[in-house]
Amino acid sequence: VQGSVVNVDTILRRRNWDRRILEQKTGTGSGFVWDKQGRIVTNYHVIQGAVQNRLNLRVVLADRTAHEATIVGLAPDYDLAVLQITT
């Protein structure tokens, strides 16, 4: 079970004065790998900032690899969200 636990981070990306992209982690939480297709279940409150502010999502797996993710399902009334790893 431990290998299926992931970290979910919300990331703000912006360019600085010399046009380099800076990343700032604005929130973090946990989730778990749901299936072999790379779907992740987490709590809605973990990714709520990404929904409201169009932030990026990053999922860090148990092996410490980081992957971008997109939202594929939301159930705010039940505090649930489903993400899909995209990279």
Short mmCIF file of all heavy atoms in Angstrom, two decimals, residues 40-48 51 71-83:
data_model
loop_
_atom_site.label_atom_id
_atom_site.label_comp_id
_atom_site.label_asym_id
_atom_site.label_seq_id
_atom_site.Cartn_x
_atom_site.Cartn_y
_atom_site.Cartn_z
N ILE A 40 -5.08 9.44 -10.12
CA ILE A 40 -4.77 9.69 -8.72
C ILE A 40 -6.02 10.20 -8.02
O ILE A 40 -6.71 11.07 -8.55
CB ILE A 40 -3.67 10.78 -8.59
CG1 ILE A 40 -2.44 10.44 -9.43
CG2 ILE A 40 -3.34 11.07 -7.14
CD1 ILE A 40 -1.69 9.20 -9.01
N VAL A 41 -6.32 9.67 -6.86
CA VAL A 41 -7.43 10.17 -6.05
C VAL A 41 -6.84 11.00 -4.91
O VAL A 41 -5.89 10.58 -4.24
CB VAL A 41 -8.28 9.01 -5.47
CG1 VAL A 41 -9.38 9.54 -4.57
CG2 VAL A 41 -8.89 8.19 -6.61
N THR A 42 -7.40 12.19 -4.73
CA THR A 42 -6.97 13.08 -3.66
C THR A 42 -8.19 13.80 -3.12
O THR A 42 -9.31 13.58 -3.60
CB THR A 42 -5.88 14.07 -4.15
OG1 THR A 42 -5.36 14.78 -3.03
CG2 THR A 42 -6.42 15.04 -5.17
N ASN A 43 -7.98 14.65 -2.15
CA ASN A 43 -9.08 15.46 -1.62
C ASN A 43 -9.24 16.74 -2.43
O ASN A 43 -8.26 17.32 -2.88
CB ASN A 43 -8.84 15.82 -0.15
CG ASN A 43 -8.85 14.61 0.72
OD1 ASN A 43 -7.80 14.14 1.13
ND2 ASN A 43 -10.03 14.07 1.00
N TYR A 44 -10.48 17.18 -2.58
CA TYR A 44 -10.74 18.41 -3.32
C TYR A 44 -10.02 19.59 -2.68
O TYR A 44 -9.47 20.43 -3.39
CB TYR A 44 -12.25 18.67 -3.39
CG TYR A 44 -12.57 19.97 -4.06
CD1 TYR A 44 -12.50 20.09 -5.44
CD2 TYR A 44 -12.93 21.09 -3.32
CE1 TYR A 44 -12.77 21.29 -6.07
CE2 TYR A 44 -13.20 22.30 -3.94
CZ TYR A 44 -13.12 22.39 -5.31
OH TYR A 44 -13.39 23.59 -5.93
N HIS A 45 -10.01 19.66 -1.35
CA HIS A 45 -9.38 20.82 -0.71
C HIS A 45 -7.88 20.90 -1.02
O HIS A 45 -7.30 21.98 -0.95
CB HIS A 45 -9.64 20.84 0.81
CG HIS A 45 -8.89 19.80 1.58
ND1 HIS A 45 -9.43 18.57 1.89
CD2 HIS A 45 -7.64 19.79 2.10
CE1 HIS A 45 -8.56 17.86 2.57
NE2 HIS A 45 -7.46 18.58 2.72
N VAL A 46 -7.26 19.79 -1.39
CA VAL A 46 -5.84 19.80 -1.74
C VAL A 46 -5.62 20.56 -3.06
O VAL A 46 -4.66 21.32 -3.19
CB VAL A 46 -5.29 18.36 -1.85
CG1 VAL A 46 -3.88 18.34 -2.44
CG2 VAL A 46 -5.32 17.67 -0.49
N ILE A 47 -6.52 20.39 -4.02
CA ILE A 47 -6.34 21.00 -5.33
C ILE A 47 -7.27 22.20 -5.57
O ILE A 47 -7.30 22.76 -6.66
CB ILE A 47 -6.51 19.95 -6.44
CG1 ILE A 47 -7.85 19.22 -6.37
CG2 ILE A 47 -5.41 18.92 -6.37
CD1 ILE A 47 -8.80 19.68 -7.40
N GLN A 48 -8.00 22.60 -4.56
CA GLN A 48 -8.96 23.69 -4.70
C GLN A 48 -8.29 24.97 -5.21
O GLN A 48 -8.84 25.67 -6.06
CB GLN A 48 -9.63 23.96 -3.36
CG GLN A 48 -10.72 24.99 -3.43
CD GLN A 48 -11.46 25.12 -2.10
OE1 GLN A 48 -11.10 24.48 -1.10
NE2 GLN A 48 -12.49 25.93 -2.09
N VAL A 51 -7.87 24.80 -8.92
CA VAL A 51 -9.14 25.00 -9.62
C VAL A 51 -9.48 26.48 -9.67
O VAL A 51 -9.82 27.03 -10.72
CB VAL A 51 -10.28 24.21 -8.94
CG1 VAL A 51 -11.62 24.55 -9.54
CG2 VAL A 51 -10.01 22.71 -9.00
N ILE A 71 -6.73 17.69 -13.96
CA ILE A 71 -7.94 17.30 -13.23
C ILE A 71 -8.89 16.61 -14.20
O ILE A 71 -9.18 17.14 -15.28
CB ILE A 71 -8.62 18.54 -12.62
CG1 ILE A 71 -7.68 19.23 -11.64
CG2 ILE A 71 -9.94 18.16 -11.97
CD1 ILE A 71 -8.13 20.61 -11.21
N VAL A 72 -9.37 15.43 -13.82
CA VAL A 72 -10.33 14.71 -14.67
C VAL A 72 -11.67 14.53 -13.99
O VAL A 72 -12.64 14.16 -14.64
CB VAL A 72 -9.78 13.35 -15.17
CG1 VAL A 72 -8.59 13.56 -16.08
CG2 VAL A 72 -9.42 12.44 -14.02
N GLY A 73 -11.74 14.79 -12.70
CA GLY A 73 -13.02 14.66 -12.00
C GLY A 73 -13.00 15.39 -10.67
O GLY A 73 -11.98 15.42 -9.99
N LEU A 74 -14.13 16.01 -10.35
CA LEU A 74 -14.26 16.75 -9.09
C LEU A 74 -15.59 16.41 -8.43
O LEU A 74 -16.61 16.29 -9.11
CB LEU A 74 -14.22 18.26 -9.34
CG LEU A 74 -12.95 18.84 -9.91
CD1 LEU A 74 -13.16 20.32 -10.25
CD2 LEU A 74 -11.81 18.68 -8.92
N ALA A 75 -15.56 16.26 -7.11
CA ALA A 75 -16.77 16.11 -6.31
C ALA A 75 -16.57 16.94 -5.04
O ALA A 75 -16.31 16.39 -3.96
CB ALA A 75 -17.04 14.65 -5.99
N PRO A 76 -16.65 18.28 -5.16
CA PRO A 76 -16.38 19.15 -4.01
C PRO A 76 -17.25 18.86 -2.79
O PRO A 76 -16.80 18.98 -1.66
CB PRO A 76 -16.64 20.56 -4.54
CG PRO A 76 -16.63 20.45 -6.02
CD PRO A 76 -16.99 19.05 -6.35
N ASP A 77 -18.49 18.46 -3.02
CA ASP A 77 -19.40 18.17 -1.90
C ASP A 77 -18.93 16.97 -1.08
O ASP A 77 -19.30 16.83 0.09
CB ASP A 77 -20.82 17.92 -2.40
CG ASP A 77 -21.45 19.17 -2.97
OD1 ASP A 77 -20.98 20.29 -2.65
OD2 ASP A 77 -22.42 19.04 -3.74
N TYR A 78 -18.12 16.11 -1.70
CA TYR A 78 -17.58 14.93 -1.01
C TYR A 78 -16.09 15.07 -0.73
O TYR A 78 -15.45 14.12 -0.27
CB TYR A 78 -17.84 13.67 -1.84
CG TYR A 78 -19.30 13.39 -2.00
CD1 TYR A 78 -19.99 13.79 -3.15
CD2 TYR A 78 -20.03 12.76 -1.00
CE1 TYR A 78 -21.34 13.55 -3.29
CE2 TYR A 78 -21.38 12.51 -1.14
CZ TYR A 78 -22.03 12.92 -2.28
OH TYR A 78 -23.38 12.68 -2.42
N ASP A 79 -15.52 16.24 -1.05
CA ASP A 79 -14.10 16.53 -0.86
C ASP A 79 -13.22 15.52 -1.59
O ASP A 79 -12.21 15.04 -1.07
CB ASP A 79 -13.74 16.59 0.63
CG ASP A 79 -12.38 17.24 0.88
OD1 ASP A 79 -11.97 18.09 0.05
OD2 ASP A 79 -11.72 16.89 1.87
N LEU A 80 -13.59 15.22 -2.85
CA LEU A 80 -12.83 14.27 -3.66
C LEU A 80 -12.45 14.89 -4.99
O LEU A 80 -13.19 15.71 -5.54
CB LEU A 80 -13.64 13.00 -3.93
CG LEU A 80 -13.89 12.09 -2.74
CD1 LEU A 80 -14.84 10.97 -3.13
CD2 LEU A 80 -12.58 11.52 -2.22
N ALA A 81 -11.30 14.46 -5.51
CA ALA A 81 -10.86 14.87 -6.84
C ALA A 81 -10.07 13.73 -7.46
O ALA A 81 -9.43 12.95 -6.75
CB ALA A 81 -9.99 16.12 -6.76
N VAL A 82 -10.13 13.63 -8.77
CA VAL A 82 -9.37 12.64 -9.52
C VAL A 82 -8.46 13.39 -10.49
O VAL A 82 -8.91 14.27 -11.22
CB VAL A 82 -10.27 11.65 -10.28
CG1 VAL A 82 -9.44 10.66 -11.09
CG2 VAL A 82 -11.20 10.93 -9.32
N LEU A 83 -7.19 13.03 -10.48
CA LEU A 83 -6.19 13.61 -11.36
C LEU A 83 -5.68 12.56 -12.33
O LEU A 83 -5.74 11.36 -12.04
CB LEU A 83 -5.01 14.15 -10.54
CG LEU A 83 -5.33 15.06 -9.37
CD1 LEU A 83 -4.05 15.42 -8.62
CD2 LEU A 83 -6.09 16.28 -9.81
#
